[in-house]
């Protein structure tokens, strides 16, 4: 199950998992938000995944709606017999000024989507992961960010939300001790997505390529590069990694 699945890293993750043989429930809001000043994913982008892969089921749902995520888990269990991995990729970015000038609405939206959206996914998905018979190899993967490990000017609320995602994953891994289910975070750097274009706009940059200057790769990352890391984190091969962060950031935090 993947949230934020209609475009960007979420869509690349769905495609990578499906090509690796996974059956996937792809979840996305697919509607603009009056509190987010840039376009969000559109329904046709989610529908493309359904048409492209026979073993992908799609569901329009907002991660702020805990009941909708429970419905998505029920869909995975009814369609595919159970849930073995949950990926929280849904997020928005807001900011553009210092912490004390970011509005209550900005703080609330970022915390509700970027943090509580992951909490809602965990509350819906982890019981299903634990319903799988032993020896189980369940995986919970949350997309954090390079901003989860650095302070960035004008992105205080976003940094706070993403730092909290890492703390949540570490605590969740402790709660999952000895269950066979792991929890990890994947922290991308500047990746060629619609959200990165929105980030560039917050800094008044006409070209998102400028945001790659702090990365050792010297270039923007592609969504498929992060998706490959997420897919590995979902695999049986990742069992030794839990309560950790996989830094898919092109060396941003080196």
């Amino acid at each position: 199950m993947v949230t934020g699945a209609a475009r960007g890293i979420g869509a690349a993750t769905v495609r990578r998992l499906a090509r690796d043989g996974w059956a996937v429930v792809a979840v996305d809001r697919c509607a603009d938000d009056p509190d987010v000043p840039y376009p969000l994913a559109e329904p046709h982008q989610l529908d493309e995944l359904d048409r492209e892969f026979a073993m992908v089921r799609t569901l329009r749902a907002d991660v702020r709606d805990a009941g909708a995520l429970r419905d998505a888990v029920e869909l995975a269990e009814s369609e595919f017999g159970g849930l073995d991995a949950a990926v929280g990729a849904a997020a928005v970015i807001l900011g553009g000024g210092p912490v004390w000038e970011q509005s209550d609405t900005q703080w609330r939206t970022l915390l509700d989507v970027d943090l509580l959206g992951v909490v809602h996914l965990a509350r819906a998905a982890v019981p299903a992961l634990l319903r799988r018979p032993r020896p189980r190899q369940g995986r919970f993967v949350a997309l954090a960010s390079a901003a989860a490990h650095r302070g960035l000017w004008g992105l205080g609320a976003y940094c706070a939300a993403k730092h909290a995602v890492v703390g949540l994953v570490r605590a969740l891994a402790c709660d999952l001790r000895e269950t066979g289910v792991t929890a990890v975070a994947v922290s991308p750097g500047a990746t060629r997505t619609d959200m990165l274009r929105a980030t560039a706009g917050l800094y008044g940059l006409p070209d998102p390529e400028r945001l790659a200057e702090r990365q050792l790769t010297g270039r923007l990352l592609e969504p498929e590069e992060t998706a490959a890391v997420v897919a590995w984190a979902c695999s049986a091969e990742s069992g030794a990694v839990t309560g950790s962060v996989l830094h898919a950031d092109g060396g941003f935090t080196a």
Side-chain angles (χ1 to χ4, degrees), residues 171-202:
L172 180 59
C174 293
D175 290 340
L176 290 167
R177 178 180 179 176
E178 298 180 3
T179 63
V181 178
T182 63
V184 301
V186 175
S187 285
T191 304
R192 197 183 307 278
T193 63
D194 293 281
M195 197 165 86
L196 189 73
R197 281 194 289 273
T199 306
L202 293 175

Side-chain angles (χ1 to χ4, degrees), residues 43-223:
H44 73 87
Q45 294 174 297
L46 192 63
D47 294 341
E48 286 173 8
L49 297 170
D50 200 4
R51 290 191 295 267
E52 190 174 346
F53 299 102
M55 294 299 286
V56 170
R57 303 290 183 270
T58 59
L59 182 68
R60 290 183 62 181
D62 192 322
V63 294
R64 291 173 287 193
D65 183 345
L69 293 188
R70 289 194 295 270
D71 291 342
V73 170
E74 290 177 5
L75 177 61
E77 292 186 310
S78 63
E79 285 282 309
F80 303 129
L83 186 68
D84 293 301
V87 178
V92 297
I93 193 161
L94 300 168
V99 166
W100 58 91
E101 292 181 0
Q102 292 180 14
S103 69
D104 289 349
T105 298
Q106 288 177 318
W107 276 95
R108 189 174 300 109
T109 300
L110 284 165
L111 292 173
D112 283 351
V113 176
D114 295 13
L115 174 58
L116 288 179
V118 180
V119 174
H120 292 160
L121 178 63
R123 294 175 67 188
V126 169
L129 297 173
L130 294 172
R131 283 195 286 272
R132 299 296 274 166
R134 289 180 180 269
R136 61 177 74 93
Q137 296 175 328
R139 304 288 182 257
F140 186 90
V141 183
L143 271 292
S145 168
H149 314 281
R150 291 287 188 275
L152 299 174
W153 182 88
L155 297 178
Y158 180 75
C159 289
K162 289 299 188 177
H163 273 71
V165 168
V166 171
L168 170 66
V169 163
R170 288 175 172 153
L172 180 59
C174 293
D175 290 340
L176 290 167
R177 178 180 179 176
E178 298 180 3
T179 63
V181 178
T182 63
V184 301
V186 175
S187 285
T191 304
R192 197 183 307 278
T193 63
D194 293 281
M195 197 165 86
L196 189 73
R197 281 194 289 273
T199 306
L202 293 175
Y203 287 121
L205 299 175
D207 185 0
E209 297 283 344
R210 290 280 306 278
L211 296 173
E213 292 177 355
R214 293 180 64 180
Q215 295 182 172
L216 301 183
T217 56
R219 62 174 177 83
L220 293 181
L221 303 175
E222 300 299 330

